Each structure stands twice: as structure tokens, then as C-alpha cells.
Amino acid sequence: KKENKDDKPVMVPFGVYYRYATKLDILLICISAFAAAVKGFAWPSIMIVFGNMINDLLLPGTKSYRELMAWFAYVYIALGAVNILAGYLSTTLMLLTAERQSHKIRLEFFRAIMRQENWLV
């Protein structure tokens, strides 16, 4: 059989990928996606804070440099903590849902093997 170049690949519906996921798994995936978005938002906000820090250092203001640097240090610490926690939460929850779904797939595979007559041969 010859293959045509016009043959398009078969499109799989999105729901097929999560057929073994429970409602808890879907909730964990949504929380993980939100945490990933927070982590992605943290990096541009660090650049904005850095730009504000440079502007405040170059322009004369009412606050002393020591107060400014202390405030920016606290902001950097907070942004770093949010970045680390969001990254950990995103990765951990996604791995947890993957483990839960793969466990269900393995159980179903094992049950299918056990239902066969000559599974030991």
C-alpha cells in the first residue's frame, strides 16, 4: 500500500490523554498549572523590581540608600521564595498525578493479563 502525502495524521481527542485521571488528579493538574504560571510570572516581576531599584538609586529621593536597599532586598527574598515554592509545587503535583495515573494503567494491564487463560506460558 502506497502512502499519500495528503494523508493527515489521526487527531486524538484531548480527553483521551486523561482517561485514567480522577477528579482529584484533574484538580492537582489545575493547581500545578496555576503554580507554573505563578513561577513564570515571577521572573518578569524580578526584572521590573530591578528596573525600579536602578531608577530609585539614580534619582534623588527622600529615602536613604540603606532603607531602599533593605526594602528591595526583602522584595527579592519574597520573589525568590515564591519562585522556589511555585516551582516545587508545580513539579511535585504534576509528578504525583503522573504516578497515580500510571499506577492505574499498570493495574489495568495486570488485570488484563490475569484474565487470559495461558498467562504463565
Side-chain angles (χ1 to χ4, degrees):
K1 181 177 177 181
K2 292 184 180 180
E3 293 184 27
N4 291 335
K5 292 182 180 180
D6 297 336
D7 289 343
K8 294 182 180 178
V10 177
M11 300 299 287
V12 178
F14 186 72
V16 172
Y17 295 123
Y18 297 106
R19 125 177 82 187
Y20 296 102
T22 62
K23 291 180 182 180
L24 178 63
D25 291 333
I26 299 296
L27 177 68
L28 292 176
I29 289 170
C30 291
I31 294 171
S32 175
F34 179 74
V38 168
K39 182 174 172 52
F41 181 72
W43 285 109
S45 60
I46 287 173
M47 293 299 123
I48 291 170
V49 169
F50 182 74
N52 290 340
M53 182 179 70
I54 296 299
N55 288 338
D56 287 347
L57 285 175
L58 294 178
L59 299 173
T62 58
K63 293 184 179 180
S64 69
Y65 289 123
R66 183 180 208 117
E67 291 174 5
L68 279 173
M69 288 301 107
W71 185 81
F72 281 115
Y74 291 136
V75 170
Y76 270 116
I77 289 170
L79 285 173
V82 166
N83 198 8
I84 289 171
L85 290 175
Y88 175 78
L89 188 66
S90 172
T91 304
T92 303
L93 291 180
M94 199 59 81
L95 287 173
L96 179 65
T97 59
E99 279 293 322
R100 289 170 52 95
Q101 291 177 42
S102 66
H103 179 70
K104 284 185 180 182
I105 293 169
R106 287 182 188 135
L107 276 177
E108 190 171 316
F109 179 70
F110 181 71
R111 287 182 185 135
I113 290 175
M114 294 302 287
R115 278 193 300 259
Q116 296 176 5
E117 271 186 48
N118 299 324
W119 62 272
L120 191 58
V121 178

